[in-house]
Amino acid sequence: MTERQQLIAGNWKMHHGGPSGCALASAIVLACGDLAGVDVVVAPPFTGLAAVAHEVEGSRVSVAAQNMHHEPKGAFTGEVSTQMLLDCGCTWVILGHSERRHVFGETNDFVQKKTKAAIAAGLRPIVCVGETLEEREAGKTLEVVSAQVGAVLADLGGRPGYGVVAYEPVWAIGTGKVAGPEQAQEVHAAIRKQLAGHSADLAENTRILYGGSVKPDNAGTLLGCHDIDGALVGGASLDAESFSKIVEVAPSPV
Ligand code: PEP
């Protein structure tokens, strides 16, 4: 039986980077305030991080950035360092989201550098992995996901349980197509096995989230799967009521 506490993280993407972010954060704090036994994280755009962190201060909601650069400073126009995120009040950072990998060309190597830098700086990484539809149809799902996890295995293994892996099939993100519980569990179990290849401690303590069109009506079944330890939620995290309903159905550790 697992001791892992579930984690529900909301990825706001390029929404609510101004004053509306504070209103959404405050509504989430209110809606999730009484829901103990689950970790709750929100990830606003860079421009909203400091204000949202201020808004949720003292509550059970933590703040994540959606990306970062691995270098501590320098000539990297448009980029943000780990220290800048810490200064804003972030404790988490989403890395290697499929939109970063597929729209902005981030490679496994780049995601590894960021993961290493985040952990070294004291930011907890949520490392996203997942296959495209073409890769799934070609029977390459486990091969692709294993290479993505393999790139960060040693870094996550240096501090078991500090980092999180999010399995997000690219074909299920923002499409309304959700992976079936068996499909998701199969990949989560394979990731857990790969983590166990590094150490039993890493496998037992790493939370593996599912992401891809998670909504209040499908969250219960997904979060009930043996190796699914929470959810990374996009669209449904932009509404405090939908998001809190997902937090509500997340099982507490036994
Ligand atoms: C995401 O952006 O990580 C995501 C899972 O989005 P959605 O829930 O909208 O599919």
Side-chain angles (χ1 to χ4, degrees):
M1 284 295 176
T2 182
E3 294 291 324
R4 293 181 295 271
Q5 176 145 310
Q6 293 234 341
L7 167 64
I8 308 296
N11 175 15
W12 295 0
K13 308 195 187 194
M14 204 164 69
H15 302 281
H16 298 298
S20 65
C22 287
L24 177 57
S26 142
I28 287 173
V29 168
L30 208 66
C32 296
D34 295 333
L35 306 172
V38 181
D39 289 332
V40 182
V41 172
V42 294
F46 287 140
T47 52
L49 287 174
V52 167
H54 184 67
E55 191 70 44
V56 303
E57 207 175 334
S59 79
R60 47 196 306 277
V61 177
S62 305
V63 177
Q66 299 173 17
N67 185 27
M68 52 164 260
H69 198 276
H70 60 276
E71 291 291 349
K73 61 182 168 188
F76 301 103
T77 303
E79 293 292 334
V80 170
S81 72
T82 52
Q83 188 57 52
M84 292 170 189
L85 298 182
L86 291 165
D87 289 344
C88 285
C90 287
T91 45
W92 294 86
V93 61
I94 297 172
L95 297 176
H97 188 277
S98 73
E99 286 147 19
R100 299 298 320 167
R101 291 180 188 265
H102 296 288
V103 183
F104 299 100
E106 291 194 7
T107 59
N108 285 344
D109 184 44
F110 201 34
V111 176
Q112 184 276 326
K113 285 190 171 85
K114 292 179 189 218
T115 304
K116 184 180 177 149
I119 294 172
L123 276 171
R124 303 184 71 165
I126 300 173
V127 182
C128 303
V129 299
E131 81 289 2
T132 62
L133 185 58
E134 294 69 32
E135 288 162 345
R136 174 161 282 269
E137 286 175 349
K140 291 186 169 163
T141 298
L142 296 183
E143 185 189 320
V144 168
V145 170
S146 156
Q148 292 169 332
V149 172
V152 296
L153 198 55
D155 297 295
L156 297 179
R159 203 165 167 189
Y162 191 68
V164 167
V165 175
Y167 168 57
E168 300 203 302
V170 181
W171 48 271
I173 297 180
T175 58
K177 286 184 197 155
V178 63
E182 299 82 13
Q183 275 177 318
Q185 168 57 30
E186 183 197 9
V187 181
H188 280 239
I191 295 172
R192 182 98 49 218
K193 193 167 164 203
Q194 190 176 2
L195 299 174
H198 186 279
S199 75
D201 198 8
L202 185 64
E204 274 158 33
N205 290 300
T206 301
R207 287 177 288 188
I208 308 174
L209 314 185
Y210 171 78
S213 298
V214 175
K215 309 280 178 226
D217 60 355
N218 59 30
T221 323
L222 287 159
L223 296 175
C225 293
H226 185 256
D227 288 297
I228 300 186
D229 307 310
L232 182 52
V233 185
S237 73
L238 300 177
D239 177 78
E241 199 186 327
S242 316
F243 187 61
S244 65
K245 279 189 181 148
I246 295 170
V247 176
E248 215 169 297
V249 297
S252 294
V254 285

